[in-house]
Amino acid sequence: MISRRTRSRRAVGQNAAQPAAAAPRAAHSIRSRIDAAIRRRAHLLADFDCTACRVVNGAADDLPGLIIERFGPVLIAQLHAERLAMSESEARDACAYAADALRASSVYRKWYPPHRGTITPQQRAAMSAAEPWIGVAAAPNVTIVENGVRLVARPYDGLLAGVFLDQRDNRRRVAQRAAGRRVLNLFSYTCSFSAVAAVGGAAATTSVDVSRKALAWGRENFAANGLELTAHSFLGDDARDFVRRAGRRERRYDLVIVDPPTFARAAGAGRVWMLQRDLPHLLADVLAVCERGALVLLSANQRTLEPRWLERALRAAGAGRRVEAVERPELPADFAGDDDLSRSIWARID
Ligand SMILES: C[S@@+](CC[C@H](N)C(=O)[O-])C[C@H]1O[C@@H](n2cnc3c(N)ncnc32)[C@H](O)[C@@H]1O
């Protein structure tokens, strides 16, 4: 378990104003923190059934602003500008050191400025280029294995790689709970929850996202696991419109995943999604399409969200339905101490 105590320690790289002789010492200290982060995850890194995990978790590993994730042979480094407590060349050295230790073939760099709108066109282009920051170019699609399921990651398809690793344990829970159920996956992105549900024996899955590109990627995740698509649909729609229509048509689901963004613009439709404004209404419509005994996984990673807000929103949407909290999962151990804490709750609807 990563200690929260480490967050309050002196940030690495704060000695920029010190004499040049301090530089090798700083590099040594950063490398020793990378070693410690890798040691803490030794069990995960040795697991053949799980080829992706977070290797360095910023301040929780005493490396503020630096996140390194492993996707099979590739590392993806996130540089969070407002928290990064080392120079970019120190960050590069740290990543090269981690790549060497993990025998990774390449490292791709992602820039996270305080506001996404301030990513420069050059940074955007670099995040979509095959040329890595370190090492040799990877294939555009890198298939990772997670609890025996194959998922397609793309190391240079922009800011995101297609698989949110903090949801690994929830994907395992979905796979374990999906057998025979009709699964609805709202804000499905690359449909990884749907793919694991299908592998787990779901009777049918419906993935809904405004991004058709993400849904096409979702089909690739099904193909990667040799899944027939007959019982599985991929719908380019606003989640709010889809669920309202499904209610009118008296559709029913036995497992519903609701994992929305904090804020999003629905391309073309001129509408925005705002979690705290829109989720309560959406949940009322979601509960209306839940079969008696249905399971709901509700998740969000808005930093400012009060821990029980999701659960209260779900209960408030109940309107006569019994909402019983089944599980309030912790983040996977490789994410412990993350400020962007993703919060989730599993509930049973009667
Ligand atoms: C946080 S990601 C979802 C992550 C996903 N559940 C997973 O585990 O990979 C947010 C997704 O919501 C989609 N989205 C944003 N606004 C939407 C809306 N109003 N209706 C449907 N999808 C939306 C985006 O296109 C994006 O793919």
Side-chain angles (χ1 to χ4, degrees):
M1 196 73 156
I2 298 157
S3 157
R4 282 173 182 274
R5 179 175 55 84
T6 56
R7 254 195 255 168
S8 60
R9 286 198 209 139
R10 183 178 63 80
V12 283
Q14 278 183 348
N15 51 3
Q18 291 176 16
R25 272 211 307 278
H28 175 76
S29 147
I30 293 171
R31 288 176 178 198
S32 65
R33 288 165 207 206
I34 297 278
D35 281 334
I38 290 173
R39 266 199 311 278
R40 281 184 200 111
R41 294 161 177 87
H43 63 294
L44 258 177
L45 291 164
D47 183 350
F48 286 111
D49 245 6
C50 179
T51 62
C53 72
R54 184 164 280 200
V55 179
V56 170
N57 195 26
D61 284 304
D62 224 357
L63 293 163
L66 179 65
I67 305 282
I68 304 178
E69 291 185 337
R70 173 190 181 217
F71 291 86
V74 173
L75 300 184
I76 295 187
Q78 302 176 11
L79 306 189
H80 292 259
E82 84 281 23
R83 286 176 243 162
L84 195 65
M86 64 182 88
S87 69
E88 199 159 319
S89 77
E90 284 171 322
R92 191 181 186 284
D93 179 79
C95 291
Y97 184 75
D100 207 35
L102 297 170
R103 303 213 172 103
S105 58
S106 41
V107 183
Y108 286 85
R109 170 179 40 170
K110 308 291 176 185
W111 283 273
Y112 281 76
H115 304 289
R116 300 275 162 95
T118 61
I119 296 175
T120 66
Q122 290 85 347
Q123 289 171 339
R124 220 168 264 291
M127 291 193 287
S128 301
E131 181 68 26
W133 194 24
I134 298 162
V136 295
N141 284 0
V142 171
T143 302
I144 62 150
V145 180
E146 190 189 83
N147 300 313
V149 180
R150 293 157 69 82
L151 295 171
V152 175
R154 293 187 183 152
Y156 46 93
D157 191 69
L159 191 64
L160 303 175
V163 189
F164 288 108
L165 300 179
D166 59 335
Q167 293 286 19
R168 181 176 59 243
D169 291 349
N170 271 332
R171 280 190 286 272
R172 179 177 41 77
R173 293 180 183 99
V174 166
Q176 287 166 345
R177 293 166 182 175
R181 294 188 187 253
R182 295 161 291 178
V183 175
L184 173 61
N185 182 8
L186 298 174
F187 308 93
S188 61
Y189 185 45
T190 55
C191 312
S192 52
F193 278 124
S194 310
V196 299
V199 171
T205 70
T206 304
S207 303
V208 182
D209 199 287
V210 286
S211 164
R212 287 175 197 277
K213 176 186 160 183
L215 294 167
W217 194 333
R219 285 194 182 85
E220 290 187 44
N221 279 325
F222 276 68
N225 292 283
L227 294 161
E228 287 281 334
L229 294 187
T230 329
H232 306 290
S233 29
F234 304 83
L235 304 174
D237 203 350
D238 191 298
R240 294 164 286 193
D241 297 340
F242 174 85
V243 179
R244 218 170 297 129
R245 228 177 21 250
R248 279 202 304 271
R249 293 177 181 169
E250 302 193 355
R251 297 255 165 80
R252 292 294 176 266
Y253 300 92
D254 314 296
L255 199 169
V256 184
I257 297 142
V258 187
D259 178 24
T262 300
F263 176 87
R265 252 174 247 288
R271 290 164 81 188
V272 295
W273 163 266
M274 290 164 72
L275 183 82
Q276 281 177 281
R277 182 194 71 182
D278 295 329
L279 187 65
H281 305 289
L282 177 73
L283 289 177
D285 292 334
V286 164
L287 292 202
V289 299
C290 280
E291 194 63 83
R292 187 172 289 277
L295 292 173
V296 171
L297 165 60
L298 174 60
S299 182
N301 67 356
Q302 182 169 330
R303 221 184 293 181
T304 53
L305 219 52
E306 193 263 310
R308 287 289 171 97
W309 189 85
L310 287 181
E311 186 169 341
R312 281 205 306 275
L314 193 54
R315 288 187 190 285
R321 306 291 298 268
R322 194 171 117 84
V323 176
E324 185 197 348
V326 172
E327 196 175 359
R328 299 179 185 92
E330 296 275 322
L331 284 174
D334 46 326
F335 280 80
D338 196 333
D339 284 341
D340 290 330
L341 193 71
S342 130
R343 304 165 196 285
S344 60
I345 173 162
W346 279 86
R348 183 186 150 97
I349 313 300
D350 287 308

